[in-house]
Amino acid sequence: MPRSIKHLLIGGLIIMTIGVPVATPANEDDRKLAIVNPRNLHDPSPNGYSTAVIMPRGARVAYISGQGGQDGTGALSPDFAVQVKQAYANLRAALEGIGAKPDQVAKLTVFVVDHDMSKLEVLTSNVKDMFGKALPAQTLVPVPKLAIDPMLFEVEAVVVLD
């Protein structure tokens, strides 16, 4: 490697590390997610999500892979509502598996096969049942199909750990 590039790389690393904050002890409030729904935007909470969620400084983040509606045997109901309910039960089990609770979920991405407005009530009621008032930020992505043909719904999560 030419000497000029080597010095540039080393210099870049020094510059990049100068701005890294030092961890400081946090109190309980510093570890909570801040939910933000600006007044000048439509309130999304009746639809089961928040506009934005701010993660606490220095938080560790976990990513939960997409959870579908398979039961413990891997079977999938052909019913959309049954799959959604099971997918959220699977998400809850994944959260418990990493020692987290629903109020630590910052962001959900949901994938819905052949989405139409009739499915929103099922989606909203399941999110509200699981998250209560601590609604995460959320994006719904309509898709033509998922990994397994009978799969109609999938939810993935970004979780803030202590």
Side-chain angles (χ1 to χ4, degrees), residues 3-145:
R3 184 179 174 142
S4 61
I5 293 176
K6 188 174 185 180
H7 284 146
L8 179 63
L9 288 174
I10 292 171
L13 291 174
I14 292 169
I15 291 169
M16 288 171 33
T17 59
I18 289 173
V20 175
V22 177
T24 56
N27 65 40
E28 185 65 29
D29 288 337
D30 289 341
R31 290 182 278 186
K32 291 185 179 175
L33 298 173
I35 294 173
V36 180
N37 288 312
R39 292 177 193 241
N40 60 337
L41 293 176
H42 171 73
D43 180 10
S45 57
N47 297 318
Y49 68 99
S50 296
T51 301
V53 176
I54 301 171
M55 291 189 188
R57 180 173 302 167
R60 291 183 311 135
V61 177
Y63 298 87
I64 296 181
S65 295
Q67 299 299 305
Q70 297 96 331
D71 65 17
T73 68
L76 276 164
S77 167
D79 183 82
F80 177 76
V82 172
Q83 283 196 30
V84 172
K85 184 177 180 103
Q86 183 63 52
Y88 279 103
N90 295 346
L91 177 59
R92 186 178 295 276
L95 288 170
E96 290 169 359
I98 62 171
K101 295 181 177 145
D103 67 354
Q104 292 173 264
V105 174
K107 171 78 167 73
L108 294 174
T109 303
V110 299
F111 303 91
V112 179
V113 173
D114 298 328
H115 173 65
D116 62 45
M117 297 304 284
S118 69
K119 295 179 179 176
L120 286 179
E121 186 176 332
V122 169
L123 298 171
T124 300
S125 66
N126 278 275
V127 168
K128 286 182 174 183
D129 285 348
M130 183 160 176
F131 296 99
K133 293 188 184 254
L135 296 169
Q138 184 175 182
T139 300
L140 184 155
V141 182
V143 295
K145 68 181 276 182

